[in-house]
Amino acid sequence: MNRTIDSDRQLDLALQSLPRALPPHKDLWPKIAAGIKDRGSSWLRPGLIAAGIALLMLPLALVERRISPAVEPLSVSDGAKPEIIDALLELDRAHREILVWSRRAPTNGGLARMAGRIEAHRTELLLYRSQL
Amino acid sequence: MNAWFWSTATLMATLPSIDAPGFRRGDPRAFEALYKTHVATLNALALRLTGQDHDLAAELIQDSFIRAWHQRSQFRGDASFATWMHRIVVNAYLATRRRSARLVAIDEASEPAVESAALAIDAASDLEQALARLPERARLVVVLHELEGYSHDEIAALTGMAAGTSRAHLHRGRDLLKRWAARHGGNP
């Protein structure tokens, strides 16, 4: 028991005697000074960086989550509104895929499924829109 | 020498810095003065967190000061600059570990076995080296609890581990260090 207390005290004393300050081997200030030069407001810069990273990550995510074109034709049961179809048609393929990817849990009927088929069924989609 | 370092560091941490208001206003000279005052104590913390990895510690310090500059509006002055900066360094270290998925998702089995860690620690020439050879999470808890004064609840909040797990890591780390201290007479 005494031995345990001794070793605890011994360790505590050793820990307490460690230096509280250890200067770095080199001057770190020049890099810090370069890093704090004003490059936009404090909230805008992280926002831009985050947006940039998100844009860089999107193609990777799309490759991983690519939606295979479905084979069945579109039907009214897909339930998308005309203005949404218009918006989808206006988008290029990459942006449509981004839209689909970002809405993996579709809240508007079969929007995600329909958008995944948009390339394969563009004609049907145009026809479908004209009937709405 | 060590006692002098400790008392100076403690004094600096408790006294309100005359440069802090200038820093909050965005004065780079005031910030540089704060850097010069606090870099050595922050570097000691970074070195111990990283297991004496000087390059990684330097990166942590640089990133932390740059982060502090951009977050200076959040420094309200109700804590000392040193306390505020220490927390930024700890958070930056934890963020680095999370990014490399070696702390949060770490598998217990991937940590060195107690015996192999004990052997490495026995061979350490000083206490700093023994600390550096502790298993990563035990080292983190020992540094934060024993040297920086964090409670287990604070460590739990910072790291995501349970307070009980923090206690267990402290116990494990102390047991390993006691072996070293017994063998080397407790001289750091």
Side-chain angles (χ1 to χ4, degrees), chain B residues 3-26:
Chain B
W4 180 85
F5 268 132
W6 199 89
S7 58
T8 307
T10 307
L11 188 67
M12 287 187 307
T14 50
L15 287 176
S17 171
I18 56 168
D19 299 304
F23 160 65
R24 273 189 291 180
R25 285 194 307 271

Side-chain angles (χ1 to χ4, degrees), chain A residues 7-70:
Chain A
S7 62
D8 269 317
R9 278 193 61 194
Q10 200 172 31
L11 177 60
D12 286 338
L13 288 171
L15 287 169
Q16 282 169 24
S17 58
L18 284 174
R20 299 285 295 177
L22 295 168
H25 286 174
K26 57 183 179 184
D27 185 10
L28 307 177
W29 179 252
K31 278 195 177 176
I32 296 169
I36 66 170
K37 280 182 184 163
D38 196 14
R39 285 178 288 175
S41 68
S42 58
W43 60 269
L44 183 60
R45 202 165 62 88
L48 286 173
I49 291 169
I53 291 169
L55 277 174
L56 287 170
M57 294 298 287
L58 266 176
L60 285 174
L62 287 171
V63 169
E64 286 174 6
R65 293 168 176 249
R66 182 173 291 279
I67 295 167
S68 56

Side-chain angles (χ1 to χ4, degrees), chain B residues 124-147:
Chain B
S125 60
D126 59 25
L127 183 55
E128 293 282 14
Q129 207 177 78
L131 260 176
R133 291 178 184 186
L134 284 176
E136 186 172 17
R137 287 193 291 184
R139 185 178 72 239
L140 174 67
V141 173
V142 169
V143 170
L144 293 183
H145 188 274
E146 299 288 296
L147 301 177

Side-chain angles (χ1 to χ4, degrees), chain B residues 2-185:
Chain B
N2 290 342
W4 180 85
F5 268 132
W6 199 89
S7 58
T8 307
T10 307
L11 188 67
M12 287 187 307
T14 50
L15 287 176
S17 171
I18 56 168
D19 299 304
F23 160 65
R24 273 189 291 180
R25 285 194 307 271
D27 177 359
R29 287 183 191 172
F31 189 43
E32 186 175 4
L34 286 169
Y35 162 82
K36 285 178 178 168
T37 304
H38 297 285
V39 68
T41 50
L42 294 168
N43 190 56
L45 168 63
L47 278 171
R48 286 165 188 150
L49 287 174
T50 59
Q52 301 295 319
D53 184 331
H54 287 260
D55 291 336
L56 189 54
E59 273 179 37
L60 264 184
I61 297 296
Q62 284 163 342
D63 288 351
S64 298
F65 270 95
I66 292 168
R67 192 176 296 192
W69 175 259
H70 291 299
Q71 295 176 354
R72 62 188 182 276
S73 61
Q74 294 172 21
F75 175 62
R76 297 195 304 271
D78 45 4
S80 77
F81 181 80
T83 306
W84 188 65
M85 274 306 301
H86 272 235
R87 197 159 281 257
I88 290 179
V89 171
V90 171
N91 281 328
Y93 169 74
L94 291 170
T96 306
R97 309 317 298 150
R98 283 192 196 102
R99 274 200 297 276
S100 59
R102 285 174 56 192
L103 182 66
V104 171
I106 198 165
D107 183 354
E108 284 290 345
S110 69
E111 295 230 308
V114 172
E115 263 319 301
S116 63
L119 288 174
I121 289 164
D122 284 348
S125 60
D126 59 25
L127 183 55
E128 293 282 14
Q129 207 177 78
L131 260 176
R133 291 178 184 186
L134 284 176
E136 186 172 17
R137 287 193 291 184
R139 185 178 72 239
L140 174 67
V141 173
V142 169
V143 170
L144 293 183
H145 188 274
E146 299 288 296
L147 301 177
E148 298 296 322
Y150 284 70
S151 69
H152 288 293
D153 286 339
E154 285 175 312
I155 294 171
L158 275 169
T159 62
M161 67 174 76
T165 308
S166 174
R167 285 188 189 91
H169 282 298
L170 179 67
H171 185 73
R172 184 184 182 193
R174 281 189 64 95
D175 274 353
L176 288 165
L177 291 176
K178 275 191 282 187
R179 277 177 59 122
W180 178 88
R183 192 177 273 248
H184 293 80

